[in-house]
Amino acid sequence: MLIDSHAHLDSERYADDRAAMLARAWEAGVGMVLAIGIGEHASGMDGALSICREFNALSAQGAMFPRLYASAGIYPHNTPEADDAVLAKLDGLLAEPEVIACGEIGLDYYHDGAPHPIQGEGLIRQIEIAAARRRPILIHCRGTNESTDAWDDLLAVLEEHWRSTGLGGVMHCFGGGWEQARRSLDLGFLVSFAGNLTYPKAQPLRDVAARMPLDGVLAETDAPWLAPAPDRGTRNEPAFVVRTAHTLAGLLGVSDEKIASATTKNFMRLFRLGADVGN
Ligand SMILES: [Zn+2]
């Protein structure tokens, strides 16, 4: 079984064929998907939980879909929306058993959007809520072009406000260098690789992936974005995590079966999911 550890199943781009898309994932061997709850805006961060409940209910009646879990969080550029009411809503969502993670949250200095201090404040307020709810966090981090500026700020925040919780998290769609990967592992994070690992120009990222320990990696789609090669630019979907996992297996010198079992084990360990995948 493979797990897609990051997919935006609530995207409008699945409005017409969400069930068929999830059935394809199941047929491709994807047994579980973590649906990311950030919405288009913070007000929509409950969308992933709704989809999770809808399809898990159908699975309970015998339909063949991956088991779904959900996250909830305020995306870096939506942090200006993080007023007390929105943060209270986040807190409530993290109390739900299916909502196993807070995210994706973090820092994005690449795109113009929320001012950096607002992003930083939003990140800290959210990780305080996640810590109280004992939920690991899903981190989005992207610096200005080749700079490590966002990573430097992020890792400083995590050292000060998160390390002591012992909860760890996921560095989603990892795009940093070895130093950032090493420090992430040291903070108890898993490093998750997305479809960009397969792109021709991503050799530096593949070089980082090749150095990773097998117990520190995940594979994800970030669907509907980042379709792996050769479908780059088209709509991505969880079934395609198979290709990213295959690329990761090649880099680590293990079989596809081994990367599937390792990433599944890593995911279950981080989120403390038992064999019955309850919570
Ligand atoms: Zn995402």
Side-chain angles (χ1 to χ4, degrees):
M1 175 179 93
L2 261 173
I3 297 178
D4 181 355
S5 54
H6 193 111
H8 297 264
L9 300 182
D10 60 341
S11 168
E12 271 300 306
R13 294 172 73 184
Y14 302 122
D16 295 334
D17 69 340
R18 193 171 284 115
M21 175 270 292
L22 288 169
R24 282 195 292 277
W26 176 262
E27 281 156 26
V30 178
M32 199 179 286
V33 180
L34 178 51
I36 304 305
I38 54 169
E40 289 288 322
H41 291 279
S43 58
M45 68 179 150
D46 52 349
L49 175 59
S50 301
I51 286 168
C52 172
R53 286 184 172 158
E54 177 188 345
F55 285 92
N56 285 347
L58 294 170
S59 295
Q61 293 162 21
M64 303 300 245
F65 298 118
R67 170 78 180 231
L68 303 187
Y69 284 98
S71 76
I74 302 158
Y75 190 70
H77 289 305
N78 291 338
T79 49
E81 301 165 22
D83 59 18
D84 288 344
V86 165
L87 291 167
K89 179 173 173 171
L90 172 62
D91 182 52
L93 283 166
L94 294 183
E96 298 293 336
E98 300 96 330
V99 183
I100 59 174
C102 177
E104 57 183 284
I105 62 176
L107 301 174
D108 186 313
Y109 298 172
Y110 184 81
H111 297 101
D112 282 333
H116 300 178
I118 304 287
Q119 291 189 38
E121 195 184 316
L123 171 63
I124 291 168
R125 294 201 65 183
Q126 290 185 86
I127 66 179
E128 286 169 354
I129 292 167
R133 290 290 179 193
R134 306 297 296 165
R135 293 295 192 256
I137 54 179
L138 313 175
I139 291 289
H140 168 107
C141 186
R142 198 159 176 203
T144 313
N145 297 316
E146 300 303 301
S147 165
T148 61
D149 52 0
W151 277 104
D152 297 342
D153 291 353
L154 171 76
L155 293 167
V157 166
L158 296 180
E159 288 288 354
E160 184 180 348
H161 298 274
W162 191 250
R163 180 189 282 277
S164 61
T165 68
L167 293 166
V170 177
M171 294 300 180
H172 133 72
C173 190
F174 185 75
W178 173 247
E179 177 62 15
Q180 288 75 36
R182 189 193 62 72
R183 290 188 63 188
S184 298
L185 292 171
D186 183 59
L187 277 159
F189 279 71
L190 296 173
V191 174
S192 184
F193 294 95
N196 53 332
L197 189 69
T198 67
Y199 296 168
K201 284 184 181 163
Q203 193 55 46
L205 184 60
R206 283 189 287 276
D207 292 342
V208 172
R211 295 176 69 175
M212 293 295 297
L214 204 49
D215 65 359
V217 294
L218 292 174
E220 64 168 74
T221 56
D222 202 17
W225 298 286
L226 288 174
D231 292 317
R232 185 175 187 178
T234 67
R235 190 188 74 168
N236 197 2
E237 60 178 63
F240 299 167
V241 76
V242 173
R243 279 189 250 160
T244 299
H246 174 73
T247 299
L248 186 58
L251 291 165
L252 293 173
V254 299
S255 66
D256 288 2
E257 291 72 26
K258 183 74 186 170
I259 204 74
S261 65
T263 51
T264 296
K265 208 168 133 192
N266 295 342
F267 187 94
M268 307 291 259
R269 185 181 70 239
L270 176 69
F271 294 110
R272 301 187 304 279
L273 301 175
D276 64 344
V277 289
N279 193 22

